[in-house]
Amino acid sequence: RDVERSRGLGDVYKRQLARPYAKAAFESAVHASDLQGWADSLATVAAVTQQASVIRLLNSPSSTSARQAEAVIEICGDALSEACQNFIVILSENRRITLLPQISQQFEIMKANREKAVDVDIASAQELDAGQQKMLADALSEKLERKVNMQVSLDKSLLGGAVIRAGDTVIDGSIRGRLTKLAESFNS
């Protein structure tokens, strides 16, 4: 339990450290009118830095920051613009290259806010037909005041209903969620 709690604090700390870098990348992308290009590049380099062999290189005390940046850029190849390559060099010089997953995630949030869009994941107990999906998308779009990009999946572990995740917002409309709330109200 303490490990989970400390891991959660580590995640918060990493997000805080990543925030100014994500903001700088976002401002560069806006200035260059290349939000999608930067988003794609950051997603690619974030995925690369999560590979086991790259993690070993980044955590190696004998690996210089220049070597780390060079290796990551080389692995990504042509997927990175010159500006993004420079960004990686700066991150490496500041010993923040391991924050790329958090930077990419925060960049995506800023991009979505600018584009007034939100990604919504829906786990449903049963298949939703096209009409139900459209009705749900329209209702969520109105409630969230954003364009909704929906991903719908089937979750057989749900007894009924659906669980909707939009960023930090979770709407638990599942039967299990309702039963849990009911049990909590009896216990209070």
Side-chain angles (χ1 to χ4, degrees):
R1 191 132 175 97
D2 289 336
V3 171
E4 285 178 24
R5 198 172 290 143
S6 68
R7 182 178 294 137
L9 290 176
D11 291 343
V12 169
Y13 182 66
K14 285 180 181 181
R15 283 193 302 270
Q16 289 174 341
L17 287 175
R19 189 172 295 124
Y21 295 100
K23 188 175 179 186
F26 185 76
E27 289 171 0
S28 291
V30 168
H31 181 72
S33 299
D34 189 21
L35 280 176
Q36 191 57 52
W38 269 88
D40 294 343
S41 293
L42 288 172
T44 298
V45 77
V48 165
T49 60
Q50 292 179 317
Q51 298 303 311
S53 59
V54 177
I55 290 171
R56 281 192 300 278
L57 171 74
L58 297 178
N59 291 329
S60 170
S62 64
S63 179
T64 65
S65 61
R67 175 63 190 127
Q68 291 174 350
E70 179 183 302
V72 170
I73 291 168
E74 186 178 310
I75 292 168
C76 293
D78 295 337
L80 305 179
S81 66
E82 187 176 334
C84 193
Q85 290 178 20
N86 292 337
F87 182 69
I88 291 167
V89 169
I90 290 168
L91 286 174
S92 184
E93 288 171 353
N94 292 321
R95 295 297 208 192
R96 299 292 190 244
I97 199 164
T98 57
L99 296 176
L100 276 160
Q102 291 82 9
I103 292 169
S104 177
Q105 186 178 45
Q106 289 185 28
F107 184 95
E108 284 294 337
I109 291 168
M110 289 181 229
K111 180 178 173 281
N113 285 337
R114 183 172 179 94
E115 295 173 342
K116 294 288 187 188
V118 65
D119 290 329
V120 176
D121 294 316
I122 300 173
S124 174
Q126 56 188 342
E127 292 287 336
L128 299 178
D129 64 37
Q132 290 170 318
Q133 287 186 30
K134 180 171 179 5
M135 191 170 65
L136 191 53
D138 291 345
L140 287 170
S141 182
E142 185 177 319
K143 180 172 178 62
L144 300 173
E145 298 176 345
R146 299 188 183 285
K147 179 182 171 234
V148 172
N149 303 319
M150 280 191 350
Q151 282 293 112
V152 180
S153 61
L154 190 62
D155 186 348
K156 295 282 188 185
S157 70
L158 296 176
L159 301 173
V163 177
I164 302 168
R165 288 181 173 79
D168 292 339
T169 304
V170 177
I171 303 169
D172 190 346
S174 68
I175 291 175
R176 180 177 302 165
R178 291 178 189 168
L179 289 173
T180 301
K181 286 179 191 172
L182 182 63
E184 286 173 0
S185 70
F186 284 137
N187 291 332
S188 8

